Amino acid sequence: FCSEDPGALANLYSAFGGARPAATPTVQAAPASGNAAAAAVDPRAFRMKPSVGTWLSAPRARVRPLAAVVVSNSAAKESAFRRLPSVGTWLAPVPAPVALAASAPQKASPAPQAAAPAPTRTLAAKASTPLLPSIGTWVAPRPAVVQRPRVDAVLRLGGLQEGAMSPDQRFEAERVLTKALLEMTGDFEGSYYPLPSSESFAPIPGGMSAEEAGVLRSRSLLFEPKQSGADGRGVFVNNAQSVAAWVNEDDHLRLIVFRTGVAAADTLARFQQAVAAALKQDGYVLK
């Protein structure tokens, strides 16, 4: 049954007592032109459906603005280097926690009294965290030791044995010389440092510390004893570290001035005269 009238089929169903079907959409003949058929297709039907290749492809990362990427990368680099400790930090001892004492009620204290003056040591070691060298310091070549220009004079105490001295005579020479040197004032005022492990100088038992020895050695102020034993030997240095006196190095006394020219000779002569004047009080002379 063919009919161009869409209502003819409905009338036929009515004639035979059947239910009337719902109106069916009119089917239009497809246009003959290919371009017209493509235009009739709804492009949204294919635009919203992914292909098989789209399902299998890796998810694409979200693209952030370039400024945000630069800021985040720089912050990550700074935090990476700021949070990594050096080798010296790994090897440094962990400081002990400091316990805070509970505050107690204050009481009336008596008037403060003058404290006794402590012995002066200009090269005394300071309480600080030990500095550990980095890997670059271990690998780097050591710099050459710079010798300071100086003039010196070797002197002996009259009345004591010349040449190799007994320990008792060496201790007596140290006692007399340190007493005279520590009485110096003005440009020659300074401190005396017995050699490490020396037990003969009562104010500093055990001799100078390792830090003091390192400072004196770096400034060409320390000597190594050629004879046995460090007892009875030491170094006197003025506060400006421009003059020094070696006690019982080889001879009884070696006066050193770290200068050159006429000024050095004048300073050495004044230093020798000041020491000789102090020794006269104990009945000793320099020669």
Side-chain angles (χ1 to χ4, degrees):
F1 179 80
C2 294
S3 178
E4 294 181 357
D5 186 4
L9 183 60
N11 296 331
L12 182 62
Y13 274 94
S14 299
F16 288 95
R20 185 177 180 178
T24 57
T26 303
V27 179
Q28 298 180 359
S33 173
N35 295 335
V41 177
D42 187 2
R44 291 176 296 177
F46 295 95
R47 183 181 305 167
M48 304 300 293
K49 296 179 180 180
S51 64
V52 176
T54 307
W55 297 338
L56 301 179
S57 60
R60 303 177 63 181
R62 297 180 60 185
V63 179
R64 292 182 296 173
L66 180 59
V69 174
V70 173
V71 172
S72 62
N73 291 342
S74 61
K77 291 181 180 179
E78 292 179 359
S79 62
F81 286 97
R82 182 168 54 247
R83 294 177 181 273
L84 294 178
S86 63
V87 176
T89 307
W90 298 336
L91 300 179
V94 179
V98 180
L100 299 178
S103 59
Q106 298 182 357
K107 299 180 179 180
S109 57
Q113 300 179 358
T120 303
R121 297 181 66 178
T122 57
L123 297 179
K126 298 180 180 180
S128 60
T129 304
L131 300 179
L132 299 178
S134 63
I135 295 179
T137 307
W138 298 336
V139 178
R142 294 181 178 272
V145 178
V146 179
Q147 297 293 338
R148 300 171 62 185
R150 73 183 195 186
V151 294
D152 55 5
V154 178
L155 304 170
R156 301 192 63 84
L157 284 174
L160 294 181
Q161 178 182 354
E162 298 182 2
M165 295 182 293
S166 64
D168 293 338
Q169 291 179 338
R170 193 165 65 243
F171 298 158
E172 176 64 14
E174 182 187 37
R175 184 192 67 81
V176 173
L177 291 173
T178 54
K179 181 177 181 297
L181 291 169
L182 293 176
E183 292 177 355
M184 299 289 101
T185 58
D187 296 339
F188 302 134
E189 182 178 0
S191 304
Y192 177 73
Y193 304 93
L195 293 187
S197 73
S198 174
E199 299 290 345
S200 58
F201 190 64
I204 309 178
M208 69 180 74
S209 64
E211 291 80 5
E212 293 169 343
V215 172
L216 293 176
R217 185 178 292 105
S218 65
R219 299 176 184 176
S220 303
L221 293 172
L222 187 63
F223 68 92
E224 299 295 336
K226 299 180 181 179
Q227 301 176 3
S228 60
D231 293 334
R233 295 185 170 94
V235 179
F236 171 84
V237 185
N238 70 331
N239 296 334
Q241 298 181 11
S242 58
V243 299
W246 290 354
V247 177
N248 290 329
E249 176 213 10
D250 260 344
D251 292 299
H252 295 154
L253 183 64
R254 180 187 293 269
L255 302 180
I256 305 172
V257 175
F258 291 98
R259 293 181 183 175
T260 56
V262 179
D266 177 67
T267 303
L268 182 61
R270 292 191 297 108
F271 191 23
Q272 181 175 347
Q273 291 174 1
V275 175
L279 287 173
K280 279 186 177 180
Q281 300 177 7
D282 289 338
Y284 288 93
V285 294
L286 287 177
K287 56 178 184 175

